[in-house]
Amino acid sequence: MARTTLALLHGFLGFSHRGPIEYFRGVKKALRGMHIAPLTPEVPIAGTIAERAETLASKLLRGNTSTFALVAHSMGGLDARYLITYLDPDHRIKSLLTVSTPHRGSPLAAWMLESRGPIPAWFRYIGRPALDELTPKACAAMSIPDREDVDYASYAGCRPVDELPFWLKPYGCIISEENDGMVPLSSAQWGKFRGIMRADHVELLGWSLSLSNTRFGRPFDHLRFWRQAAVEAIAAAEEKT
């Protein structure tokens, strides 16, 4: 059986790396220690879901790799679902594991589009047209049906508002249900729901401005999580092959 190729997909306003700074902090090195060499394709940071998915297709599917397992953070999961449904005619993608993806949108995106002030204005300036597609209304209107030959699974991040870092706390308060500071818990669940990580949206990636606190489970062991996610995604893909 051909070895499955793993791809890590970044989210809204994300990137593969900027100099020494990696979106998935230290994850590539950690996975290489397990003899997994992940791809980290970069897509337009604020493109539409279709545009971002088309870029993924051009970067992932142009070679002769026979089997892919995708692990996606945030908006990357929406890009991946579009790619799987509409841009993978040879059905080479066999699994998708999403991490804090707003499958049903986020009220925070709607707030950014509708509110006054410098921060919402800045997000509208740099974040469109992607931001327009991340609202609950926009996600409800999307038609991206699952493919029967693909294994879909998901994880969510979640912290109580009083555990969120100072810069995320105001946004966590905008969302009326449990969340990770950006994505509601219910929105992050898709396919087989594998559980809730005690981490905020960016802490899942290994980035945090908060001090260590054992009572709050901080720092979150993101490398352990991504190792586990990679193994699960590859195993799920190989079961579908």
Side-chain angles (χ1 to χ4, degrees):
M1 182 183 298
R3 184 171 177 82
T4 298
T5 296
L6 178 75
L8 301 176
L9 310 183
H10 69 74
F12 173 63
L13 301 183
F15 51 89
S16 174
H17 62 88
R18 293 289 183 269
I21 301 174
E22 297 178 305
Y23 183 87
F24 295 94
R25 186 182 181 191
V27 174
K28 288 183 73 173
K29 181 178 179 181
L31 294 182
R32 284 172 179 160
M34 301 169 62
H35 306 290
I36 299 171
L39 303 177
T40 55
E42 192 161 309
V43 300
I45 64 171
T48 65
I49 291 168
E51 290 168 346
R52 288 163 59 105
E54 287 163 2
T55 301
L56 285 177
S58 70
K59 292 186 175 184
L60 295 179
L61 304 179
R62 64 186 175 187
N64 57 8
T65 301
S66 61
T67 307
F68 285 95
L70 307 183
V71 181
H73 177 253
S74 196
M75 186 180 180
L78 296 173
D79 307 334
R81 284 176 48 212
Y82 190 100
L83 168 64
I84 290 166
T85 301
Y86 297 115
L87 301 173
D88 180 25
D90 298 325
H91 290 202
R92 293 156 70 185
I93 300 167
K94 295 299 183 182
S95 73
L96 170 62
L97 178 59
T98 63
V99 180
S100 275
T101 288
H103 292 285
R104 298 168 186 84
S106 173
L108 182 58
W111 183 86
M112 289 292 183
L113 290 169
E114 297 166 359
S115 298
R116 297 182 178 181
I119 293 178
W122 182 77
F123 270 100
R124 289 193 294 271
Y125 178 72
I126 66 167
R128 280 178 145 164
L131 194 61
D132 296 290
E133 296 196 339
L134 295 175
T135 67
K137 182 177 180 180
C139 285
M142 291 178 194
S143 176
I144 313 177
D146 287 351
R147 228 174 61 201
E148 291 185 0
D149 64 322
V150 174
D151 183 275
Y152 294 85
S154 58
Y155 281 100
C158 186
R159 279 197 180 277
V161 171
D162 62 358
E163 291 185 17
L164 291 173
F166 72 92
W167 64 278
L168 264 185
K169 191 171 293 187
Y171 306 127
C173 291
I174 290 168
I175 303 171
S176 62
E177 64 175 279
E178 292 181 298
N179 64 84
D180 65 0
M182 293 187 181
V183 176
L185 178 57
S186 62
S187 187
Q189 299 179 42
W190 196 265
K192 302 170 188 173
F193 185 56
R194 298 196 180 279
I196 302 170
M197 301 295 106
R198 190 173 182 178
D200 65 51
H201 198 72
V202 296
E203 192 180 9
L204 285 163
L205 300 166
W207 297 103
S208 177
L209 296 179
S210 299
L211 298 175
S212 297
N213 187 316
T214 54
R215 185 164 65 92
F216 290 167
R218 186 179 281 129
F220 173 68
D221 190 348
H222 76 291
L223 294 180
R224 179 180 179 183
F225 168 71
W226 289 99
R227 289 189 191 102
Q228 175 184 328
V231 169
E232 290 176 358
I234 291 171
E238 293 180 349
E239 287 181 6
K240 289 286 187 177
T241 303

